[in-house]
Amino acid sequence: MTAKGYDYNWALDKGVTDRPEPFAQLRDAGSGRTMRIATTEPGVYLCSGNFLDGTLTGSSGRAYRQGDGMCLETQHFPDSPNQPPFPSTVLRPGDTYRSATVHSFSAR
């Protein structure tokens, strides 16, 4: 099936970090609402509501159409186990994996 919008993992310039580093800011010009995202992860998966077809409705009664939403999921790269240059996703017995993603919201 062909994607009808964004459906990609993006590599962040910062790589894996010990503390969350900012990588995105989204702002609604009309309301002034802003969301900032910081993460320790090396990548982010972006999808844009590609398969919304107007059959779902929100609490306001408005139908959700293709592209009406978006999702930013912080993560490692999907093919990491098969790509030695990618940041490793191997977790050995007894090891602990820690990751942090921070969403901050404000309004003007």
Side-chain angles (χ1 to χ4, degrees):
M1 183 175 270
T2 302
K4 300 174 182 177
Y6 289 99
D7 187 13
Y8 301 104
N9 183 76
W10 298 87
L12 302 175
D13 288 341
K14 64 174 204 53
V16 178
T17 57
D18 291 332
R19 294 184 181 189
E21 292 190 17
F23 74 90
Q25 176 175 295
L26 294 87
R27 182 178 312 132
D28 177 67
S31 68
R33 289 178 296 198
T34 300
M35 178 174 71
R36 293 176 183 83
I37 310 171
T39 189
T40 57
E41 292 292 320
V44 60
Y45 170 72
L46 165 65
C47 104
S48 57
N50 306 349
F51 299 102
L52 295 173
D53 62 4
T55 59
L56 297 174
T57 57
S59 58
S60 68
R62 184 175 173 271
Y64 294 131
R65 300 165 301 155
Q66 181 181 326
D68 277 352
M70 68 175 293
C71 181
L72 294 168
E73 299 175 19
T74 60
Q75 62 182 19
H76 270 63
F77 309 144
D79 199 28
S80 288
N82 302 309
Q83 302 296 330
F86 287 5
S88 178
T89 54
V90 174
L91 187 64
R92 303 269 181 229
D95 287 352
T96 300
Y97 178 74
R98 296 192 193 286
S99 174
T101 298
V102 178
H103 295 81
S104 305
F105 298 89
S106 62
R108 294 184 190 186

